[in-house]
Amino acid sequence: MRTLIRDAQIFDGTGTASRRGSALVDGNQITRVGFGEDALAGEDADTIIDAGGRTLMPGLVEAHAHLTWASSVEKIYHQFILPPEELKEAAWRNARILLDHGFTSAYSAGALGDGIEVELARAIEAGETPGPRLVPSTLERSPEGAEGVETGDVFNGRGPDAIRKFVAYCEEQGIGSLKLVVSGEDALKPGTAQHVHYTEEEMEAAGEAARDAGLWIATHAYYPEAIRLALKAGARIIYHASYADQAAADAMVAAKDATFYAPSPGVSIAALEATPPPHIDMSHMKASAAERIKRESKLVPELKARGVRILIGGDYGFPFNPNGRNARDLQIFVDHFGYTPAEALTAATKLGGELMDLPVGQVKEGYLADLLLVDGDPTEDVAILQDKNRLSMIMKDGALYKAPAA
C-alpha cells in the first residue's frame, strides 16, 4: 500500500525551517521525501492525499506517560486507585485519547496496576485497540514506608538483593522500563522532595540488574543526591530535577549522550491554575508547583544550551491535569523555558524518537510513517496542537488512523 502526501508544508522534526514538499509512504515506512511545488508528482500511489499547504510533521512522543492515571478530557475520576476492571477501561481509553491528540508514541513513567501496561502494549501492537507505540512499565517502586504507590511485599524490602528481585520480576513481566521513585514528592507530602529513598548500593544494583536484563530505568528525582543516584544507576530518563544544583547540572550534562531529562511542567502549571472545591486543600501543591516552575525556568534553558536532550511530558492524568491535554507542554516550553515553537516541536518529535530508540520523530526516508497533517502552522503557533480538530490526518505505522476529509 503506497500513500502519497503531496503539496504539504513539511516540518521534518529536526528544527530546520519548514519547506513545501511531498512524502511517499510504502507500507509502514517513509520511502521518499521531496521538496518543491511538484515534488514526487510522477510517483505511483494507491492513495493520494492533497495536503493543500497544511503542515506535515512527525507524530508526537509523550515522554512521561501515565495511562493508568485515570482522568482524561473525556472522563474525570476523583479517586486515584480504581478497581482493576475500571482501571483497565481507563487505561485503554487514555491510550486512544493520546492517539486522538496526535501522540503516536509514549514512554511510560509508571503504572497503578501490575501488568496492565504490558497487556495494553500488546493489544495496541496487535491492532486490537488504538493507541501510541508504548514502552510499558509496571508499578512505581518506592521502598517500604516511602512516598509513592504501595507496590506490595514482593517489590518492597531493602538492600541490593531486593532490588535485583524487583528487576527480575520486571523482566519476567515483559516491561520495557522500570520506574524508581528515588525521592519524595512535596506536592503530595510537603517537605519530602529532598528525601532520598535508596542507598548507593541499591541504586548500583538496580543499574547492573537492569543492564543485564536489557531494561531501561525511569527515575523520579528532585534534589541533587537523588539525581546523582539516578545517574549512577544509568537512568534512561530523569523526571523533574527541579532542585538541581550546579554539580547536579554538570553531572546531567556529562551524561547527556545516555540520559534524557523531562522537567514535567504540565502538572505544575495545571496545579497553579486549579480551582478546587473548598473541601480540597491544594495550597501545599500550589506552593510546590510555583517553586518548581521558578527553578526550572532557569535550569531548563541552561541544560538545553549545554546539549541535554529535554523532552515534553507533564504528569498528565490528575483530575486537574487530565490525559488528552499533553500537547500543552509544548506551549509551556515556549512560555516558561524560552523555546521557539520549532524547538518545542523538536523536543516532542525527534528527541522523543531518540528516547523510544525507534526510527520515529522525523519526516525522513527510512523512518516509520508516524505522521500528522495539521491545519495551520505549529512552527508559528504551537498551541494549535492542543486542538485535536486541527489534526486533519493521523497516520501511525503507515496506516491512517484519522483520514483527512475528502
Side-chain angles (χ1 to χ4, degrees):
M1 180 72 175
R2 289 159 61 89
T3 302
L4 177 64
I5 305 165
R6 60 172 302 279
D7 192 27
Q9 197 69 19
I10 299 176
F11 174 77
D12 67 5
T14 67
T16 58
S18 300
R19 292 186 286 166
R20 201 72 165 226
S22 301
L24 180 67
V25 173
D26 194 344
N28 70 343
Q29 280 196 341
I30 302 167
T31 54
R32 288 199 63 192
V33 180
F35 295 99
E37 190 173 337
D38 297 318
L40 310 187
E43 286 287 350
D44 243 358
D46 302 288
T47 302
I48 297 176
I49 295 172
D50 189 346
R54 288 172 288 187
T55 301
L56 180 67
M57 61 172 285
L60 302 170
V61 181
E62 169 58 67
H64 191 156
H66 284 301
L67 296 178
T68 58
W69 293 19
S71 287
S72 72
V73 292
E74 294 184 6
K75 186 177 176 72
I76 298 295
Y77 291 85
H78 293 289
Q79 69 272 34
F80 209 56
I81 305 300
L82 299 173
E85 283 307 308
E86 195 169 0
L87 183 63
K88 177 177 176 178
E89 180 183 338
W92 263 241
R93 178 191 303 115
N94 287 338
R96 189 259 303 158
I97 285 171
L98 254 65
L99 188 56
D100 286 348
H101 287 80
F103 286 84
T104 51
S105 294
Y107 187 106
S108 175
L112 291 177
D114 196 19
I116 188 170
E117 288 192 349
V118 173
E119 183 184 354
L120 175 56
R122 288 173 180 160
I124 292 170
E125 190 172 358
E128 296 166 6
T129 192
R133 301 175 188 276
L134 176 63
V135 175
S137 186
T138 187
L139 293 156
E140 299 186 29
R141 188 190 194 279
S142 298
E144 194 167 6
E147 297 305 311
V149 177
E150 173 56 50
T151 52
D153 292 340
V154 88
F155 298 151
N156 287 336
R158 301 307 304 258
D161 285 344
I163 297 288
R164 292 188 188 98
K165 288 177 182 176
F166 173 67
V167 174
Y169 178 83
C170 290
E171 182 183 13
E172 182 183 296
Q173 288 283 297
I175 69 156
S177 176
L178 57 103
K179 174 73 176 291
L180 298 179
V181 181
V182 188
S183 63
E185 174 56 72
D186 282 350
L188 300 178
K189 189 174 181 181
T192 62
Q194 57 192 305
H195 293 175
V196 176
H197 293 165
Y198 293 94
T199 66
E200 193 103 14
E201 294 76 20
E202 287 170 335
M203 292 299 286
E204 189 172 342
E208 290 174 355
R211 283 191 294 274
D212 290 345
L215 301 180
W216 289 327
I217 298 175
T219 55
H220 171 106
Y222 274 111
Y223 275 79
E225 178 62 8
I227 296 166
R228 185 185 69 80
L229 289 174
L231 292 171
K232 184 179 182 67
R236 177 76 172 173
I237 186 166
I238 294 175
Y239 297 123
H240 307 300
S242 316
Y243 296 87
D245 59 12
Q246 196 57 53
D250 290 345
M252 291 172 72
V253 172
K256 66 184 180 182
D257 293 334
T259 301
F260 296 82
Y261 170 43
S264 312
V267 69
S268 300
I269 297 299
L272 290 171
E273 293 175 348
T275 53
H279 66 282
I280 296 178
D281 181 11
M282 286 183 65
S283 57
H284 59 281
M285 187 175 284
K286 287 176 177 287
S288 173
E291 178 69 12
R292 292 200 309 268
I293 283 292
K294 180 181 176 181
R295 290 177 173 273
E296 290 161 11
S297 294
K298 297 178 181 177
L299 176 66
V300 172
E302 178 196 338
L303 293 179
K304 170 176 167 281
R306 298 177 69 187
V308 174
R309 291 175 291 179
I310 303 172
L311 308 175
I312 69 163
D315 259 343
Y316 292 89
F318 287 105
F320 59 88
N321 191 41
N323 279 297
R325 288 191 187 167
N326 307 62
R328 192 181 185 202
D329 264 35
L330 293 158
Q331 188 65 50
I332 294 171
F333 272 45
V334 171
D335 292 343
H336 293 273
F337 299 155
Y339 277 58
T340 66
E343 288 172 336
L345 289 169
T346 296
T349 55
K350 178 181 181 289
L351 298 184
E354 292 174 8
L355 172 72
M356 297 293 291
D357 197 26
L358 291 171
V360 298
Q362 295 186 55
V363 183
K364 183 177 179 179
E365 293 174 5
Y367 270 55
L368 295 171
D370 291 1
L371 299 168
L372 307 177
L373 194 58
V374 184
D375 184 8
D377 185 358
T379 68
E380 293 293 329
D381 179 11
V382 78
I384 66 175
L385 291 175
Q386 295 177 48
D387 181 1
K388 69 175 185 177
N389 295 318
R390 302 290 289 267
L391 304 179
S392 303
M393 179 197 81
I394 302 171
M395 176 181 282
K396 181 191 158 199
D397 210 34
L400 285 170
Y401 172 67
K402 179 181 180 181

